[in-house]
């Protein structure tokens, strides 16, 4: 007897469950939007939504939008969840990727490992199996280099944290250290063919002028 056939959604979910996440690919324009948002709001810390596609071992980030700051939300009496849903509805109407794949946030000198970050991961994990957080540090970036990384919560720690009673004795017994809480995923950037053509043309113009 032939094995039962899976529908497309079930097959995609099965592939996601079996294929480990090995790379986060960010569109170049999305990367610039994240950097711009984080730098413009310094010294305040900001967050935003990541949108894209989960394909095999690669998580593609193709779009993003910022969350309103607390002061803006209080002045306009805007609920965060309603704002998020409305933004995604607008993006869907103009045929732009609106699948949530995680969120981004700024940090101050690498101080991002907090209980709030763990709780946010757990909230996202209820609906999104493989979500990531892109952490950008504008302060360290000013010292040279791009201080940006993609992280996710380790499955073993997530299972222990869900019990609601995380103690040093429990972590010792399960063999979990602070290094086992988050996993860093390699990040690559990509540009569309149109962007790549424009960059090549600009480089040619610069070379010709020299």
């Amino acid at each position: 007897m032939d094995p039962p056939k899976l529908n497309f959604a079930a097959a995609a979910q099965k592939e996601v469950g079996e294929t480990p996440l090995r790379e986060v690919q960010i569109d170049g324009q999305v990367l610039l939007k994240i950097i711009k948002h984080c730098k413009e709001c310094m010294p305040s810390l900001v967050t935003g939504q990541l949108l894209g596609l989960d394909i095999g071992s690669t998580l593609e980030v193709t779009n993003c939008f910022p969350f309103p700051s607390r002061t803006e939300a209080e002045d306009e009496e805007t609920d965060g969840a309603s704002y998020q849903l409305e933004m995604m509805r607008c993006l869907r109407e103009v045929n732009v990727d609106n699948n949530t794949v995680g969120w981004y946030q700024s940090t101050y000198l690498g101080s991002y490992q907090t209980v709030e970050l763990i709780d946010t991961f757990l909230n996202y994990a209820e609906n999104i199996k493989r979500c990531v957080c892109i952490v950008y540090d504008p302060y360290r970036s000013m010292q040279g280099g791009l201080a940006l990384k993609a992280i996710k919560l380790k499955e073993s720690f997530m299972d222990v944290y869900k019990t609601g009673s995380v103690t040093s004795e429990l972590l010792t017994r399960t063999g979990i250290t602070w290094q086992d809480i988050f996993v860093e995923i390699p990040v690559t950037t990509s540009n569309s063919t149109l962007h790549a053509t424009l960059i090549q043309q600009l480089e040619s113009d610069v070379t010709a002028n020299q």
Side-chain angles (χ1 to χ4, degrees):
M1 180 181 294
D2 294 334
K5 295 182 179 180
L6 296 174
N7 59 32
F8 179 78
Q13 185 64 32
K14 184 173 184 293
E15 181 182 358
V16 168
E18 293 178 350
T19 306
L21 182 61
R22 293 192 175 92
E23 179 187 17
V24 176
Q25 181 177 297
I26 308 177
D27 184 85
Q29 186 176 6
V30 176
L31 180 60
L32 293 177
K33 288 167 68 175
I34 293 174
I35 294 174
K36 182 175 183 290
H37 181 209
C38 294
K39 283 189 174 182
E40 285 182 345
C41 295
M42 291 173 60
S44 300
L45 301 181
V46 295
T47 62
Q49 189 79 67
L50 297 176
L51 307 172
L53 300 170
D54 188 354
I55 304 176
S57 61
T58 302
L59 194 68
E60 297 184 3
V61 181
T62 58
N63 203 355
C64 70
F65 61 84
F67 290 149
S69 64
R70 291 184 179 180
T71 54
E72 291 173 345
E74 291 171 356
D75 293 340
E76 301 176 7
E77 298 181 355
T78 304
D79 179 72
S82 299
Y83 168 82
Q84 184 175 346
L85 292 174
E86 180 65 18
M87 282 293 297
M88 295 176 69
R89 183 188 65 80
C90 294
L91 292 173
R92 182 168 60 250
E93 289 181 352
V94 295
N95 199 27
V96 175
D97 290 338
N98 59 0
N99 302 309
T100 301
V101 294
W103 76 100
Y104 70 85
Q105 67 179 52
S106 58
T107 185
Y108 177 73
L109 299 178
S111 57
Y112 62 88
Q113 298 186 13
T114 62
V115 176
E116 289 77 12
L117 180 59
I118 296 175
D119 291 336
T120 305
F121 263 113
L122 293 178
N123 291 333
Y124 270 82
E126 293 179 358
N127 300 310
I128 307 171
K129 181 64 177 177
R130 300 199 305 185
C131 66
V132 298
C133 175
I134 293 180
V135 181
Y136 175 71
D137 192 333
Y139 299 93
R140 284 188 173 175
S141 296
M142 289 179 179
Q143 301 172 5
L146 181 63
L148 180 140
K149 61 176 64 177
I151 59 173
K152 73 182 195 70
L153 206 61
K154 201 164 186 177
E155 293 289 342
S156 57
F157 177 79
M158 188 182 300
D159 295 337
V160 173
Y161 192 82
K162 284 180 180 178
T163 62
S165 58
V166 180
T167 62
S168 57
E169 292 79 8
L170 178 60
L171 295 178
T172 302
R173 187 166 64 251
T174 55
I176 297 177
T177 66
W178 67 271
Q179 296 176 328
D180 300 318
I181 298 178
F182 297 103
V183 180
E184 185 172 347
I185 310 298
V187 177
T188 60
T189 58
S190 64
N191 291 303
S192 65
T193 304
L194 184 60
H195 289 161
T197 303
L198 176 60
I199 293 173
Q200 184 176 9
Q201 182 179 355
L202 292 175
E203 290 177 347
S204 300
D205 293 342
V206 171
T207 303
N209 291 333
Q210 291 177 349

